[in-house]
């Protein structure tokens, strides 16, 4: 069924631009990165992408005709239909017509979506969500990102904000201030950042913790340390993982009761801890989700890692252009 | 643009079957009810509906050709594509091929969906959600029902359970047992049933309340009494409405942060209290929703009342057959 033609998937981040040629069946033909040039409010980024694509097409001794279109994920607030970026803080764009500029520069049709959404779509197409049409994706990293897919389509909402599961309120009273301006967001208790912070906050009650010893010796700890030490039964680390898992499992149970997904895909750096994190999340999920919703859903770790975005972007180009 | 042809909208309930002829523009040509015959596991219902439709078509001196199709809402667990009812407790059906049976009986194409979903779609098409494509509907009655519409389509989820907002967990510890088997569901604090129960529970701390006087005199109070007395500044009634509104506003804020709806439509008996209920719900919603989500959404009372279901059912027939 393959047409043998390729799609280009682009995943724009604050540090690097991930790009790939991807075929009809989600196979990556070639993937590469370039640096994200955020100087001058990101005005060189589209030119850099365009030149890099042209060079790569030549390297593969293909014509531009061999590419059917470009899908691209961008951070920030976007108008999806127009591919217009209202504001992308980490990139520097403000009121930037990304789709139009990239189409002009490369001479191929372009479709743009939010970076969290393309990662979710990637996992649905070829990753942990494969085969499911109703998928909830959560990315646990510096923050907590999310993507919602219903009946095979990304949910954008009325102004492109859908999926902001990280900014739902988890702690009603006395929650930590979040970057969004609210307090007690899920992001303040279940992100990598939160896991590290909650461990450090726990030193006073757990001076015996190996986390404290590591912190005193090396000057810092990471969320990975917390998850590793939890696996080795360090009490503070276990308490922190329990807290992060409780809030995530509870929030997911409530969203799943409203969305009834077939898969919940948990990705991002923290999810690499595997069952250390997934098992307690599943435990709390089952406590709070409606029984029939529970029966219908599988909670799984993301599979595509950093490739989720480029693969999801290619899916957009394949199905929407 | 009207084709002048009609659709039939049917809204099946445990007591009566609401039916209507509805035109292309959602105008009700004629509406009528028949009794729901739940004897013998509901085996007469489809025959009763079919005969009633035939009689009405004759009354209007039309041919069957004048009807383009039938949309029908049913309570219970359904398989939507096949129009198959797994189980509908209040009706008596178990593994009942509703779509097939009704098509055979009437000789017109039929599409079936969940009763809460057709009401949501009705409000989207011609009611309080008019013009919006991303709508969250909540019905506050004996229970708390819900319907989710994204990009103009009903969200069903993997096994037809989507929208069960009433069974998300609102009270983490010490919550009241819910009909679903869990404790602390939103339904146990924000439904009409819950509002009445919480008021009665409050008599011991508020012996001065006019609600208690009414209860002592008349042997019972209703949720409407609570809302009426709250408007008149009765302290117990105000405290109950505050509690119900807090939980509803908080839950809606979290779901809206994930779904980013343009409208949240609040229907059902309790919503007739208007601003007595809507104002505190909006207050708590604004406290907990992400600012941009807040900007995008309007919280409104349902407009169609009992007609929402038949109108939504007709929309299904119009767009899906």
């Amino acid at each position: 069924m393959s047409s043998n033609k390729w799609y280009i998937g682009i995943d724009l981040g604050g540090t690097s631009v991930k790009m790939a040629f991807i075929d009809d069946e989600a196979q990556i033909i070639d993937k590469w990165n370039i640096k994200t040039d955020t100087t001058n409010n990101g005005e060189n980024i589209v030119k850099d992408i365009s030149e890099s694509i042209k060079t790569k097409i030549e390297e593969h001794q293909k014509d531009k005709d061999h590419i059917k279109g470009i899908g691209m994920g961008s951070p920030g607030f976007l108008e999806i239909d127009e591919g217009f970026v209202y504001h992308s803080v980490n990139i520097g764009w403000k009121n930037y017509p990304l789709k139009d500029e990239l189409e002009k520069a490369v001479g191929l049709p372009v479709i743009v979506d939010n970076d969290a959404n393309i990662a979710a779509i990637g996992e649905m197409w070829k990753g942990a969500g494969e085969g499911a049409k109703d998928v909830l994706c959560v990315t646990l990293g510096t923050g907590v990102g999310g993507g919602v897919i219903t009946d095979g389509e990304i949910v954008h909402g009325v102004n492109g904000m859908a999926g902001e599961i990280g900014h739902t309120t988890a702690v009603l009273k006395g929650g930590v201030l979040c970057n969004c301006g609210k307090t007690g967001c899920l992001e303040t208790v279940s992100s990598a950042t939160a896991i590290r912070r909650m461990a450090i906050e726990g030193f006073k009650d757990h001076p015996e913790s190996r986390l404290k010893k590591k912190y005193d010796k090396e000057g810092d700890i990471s969320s990975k340390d917390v998850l590793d030490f939890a696996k080795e039964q360090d009490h503070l680390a276990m308490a922190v993982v329990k807290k992060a898992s409780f809030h995530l499992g509870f929030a997911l149970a409530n969203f799943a009761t409203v969305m009834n997904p077939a898969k919940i895909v948990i990705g991002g750096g923290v999810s690499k801890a595997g069952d250390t994190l997934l098992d307690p999340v599943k435990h709390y999920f089952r406590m709070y989700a409606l029984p029939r919703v529970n029966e219908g859903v599988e909670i799984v770790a993301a599979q595509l890692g950093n490739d989720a975005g480029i693969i999801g972007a290619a899916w957009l180009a394949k199905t929407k252009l």
Side-chain angles (χ1 to χ4, degrees), chain A:
Chain A
M1 289 295 290
S2 171
S3 66
N4 290 319
K5 291 208 176 180
W6 298 346
Y7 305 94
I8 296 176
I10 305 178
D11 185 6
L12 174 64
T15 313
S16 71
V17 190
K18 298 182 193 74
M19 288 186 268
F21 295 140
I22 291 172
D23 75 9
D24 249 359
E25 263 126 53
Q27 295 305 310
I28 294 174
I29 310 293
D30 190 5
K31 65 173 176 176
W32 69 98
N33 289 350
I34 62 171
K35 208 179 147 298
T36 305
D37 178 2
T38 53
T39 60
N40 294 320
N41 298 320
E43 70 170 26
N44 300 316
I45 293 173
V46 161
K47 183 171 61 62
D48 293 348
I49 290 174
S50 164
E51 283 170 6
S52 167
I53 287 171
K54 284 173 188 162
T55 307
K56 275 285 172 180
I57 291 175
E58 280 170 24
E59 267 180 45
H60 283 267
Q61 297 181 306
K62 300 285 183 191
D63 291 328
K64 205 169 63 183
D65 288 356
H66 196 69
I67 315 285
K68 282 175 133 179
I70 300 175
M72 178 164 176
S74 168
F77 296 135
L78 316 180
E79 205 292 305
I80 305 296
D81 291 337
E82 303 292 325
F84 186 87
V85 181
Y86 292 119
H87 195 189
S88 184
V89 180
N90 297 332
I91 305 301
W93 290 336
K94 224 169 180 172
N95 296 322
Y96 185 75
L98 173 57
K99 173 185 153 81
D100 290 351
E101 292 293 328
L102 190 58
E103 285 185 341
K104 219 186 322 174
V106 186
L108 283 167
V110 171
I111 180 157
V112 171
D113 209 314
N114 188 278
D115 55 348
N117 289 340
I118 58 164
I121 280 284
E123 291 287 348
M124 180 192 80
W125 190 23
K126 280 291 155 180
E130 191 170 355
K133 296 182 83 180
D134 297 276
V135 182
L136 206 52
C137 286
V138 185
T139 309
L140 308 174
T142 313
V144 172
V148 181
I149 295 166
T150 63
D151 206 16
E153 300 288 338
I154 298 171
V155 177
H156 292 111
V158 66
N159 48 18
M161 293 295 287
E164 288 289 357
I165 188 167
H167 297 293
T168 60
T169 302
V171 180
L172 267 166
K173 280 180 186 167
V176 168
L177 184 66
C178 183
N179 288 328
C180 75
K182 294 198 305 151
T183 60
C185 289
L186 185 62
E187 186 161 303
T188 68
V189 280
S190 297
S191 63
T193 316
I195 287 173
R196 173 184 166 277
R197 190 203 73 239
M198 294 189 298
I200 294 170
E201 285 168 0
F203 289 167
K204 58 182 186 308
D205 296 325
H206 292 273
E208 82 295 349
S209 169
R210 288 175 55 207
L211 284 169
K212 176 150 181 9
K213 292 189 180 72
K214 182 159 191 190
Y215 184 90
D216 289 342
K217 194 173 156 202
E218 300 180 10
D220 205 352
I221 52 166
S222 67
S223 60
K224 187 175 180 303
D225 294 330
V226 182
L227 286 152
D228 287 347
F229 287 18
K231 208 170 178 173
E232 295 166 17
Q233 314 290 312
D234 179 273
H235 285 233
L236 171 58
M238 286 166 75
V240 168
V241 171
K242 187 178 170 185
K243 186 172 177 183
S245 305
F246 164 75
H247 286 293
L248 183 58
F250 177 72
L252 289 174
N254 275 353
F255 301 126
T257 296
V258 176
M259 306 305 300
N260 188 205
K263 302 252 185 175
I264 294 176
V265 178
I266 300 181
V270 174
S271 73
K272 289 183 187 139
D275 293 341
T276 310
L277 183 84
L278 278 188
D279 283 348
V281 169
K282 286 178 188 172
H283 168 77
Y284 290 115
F285 182 91
R286 296 222 167 89
M287 268 177 75
Y288 295 109
L290 198 60
R292 261 180 74 91
V293 167
N294 239 324
E295 288 162 23
V297 75
E298 208 185 339
I299 301 178
V300 289
Q303 287 178 357
L304 300 179
N306 286 333
D307 291 343
I310 47 177
I311 290 174
W315 182 89
L316 280 185
K318 175 182 151 91
T319 58
K320 302 292 174 190
L321 287 175

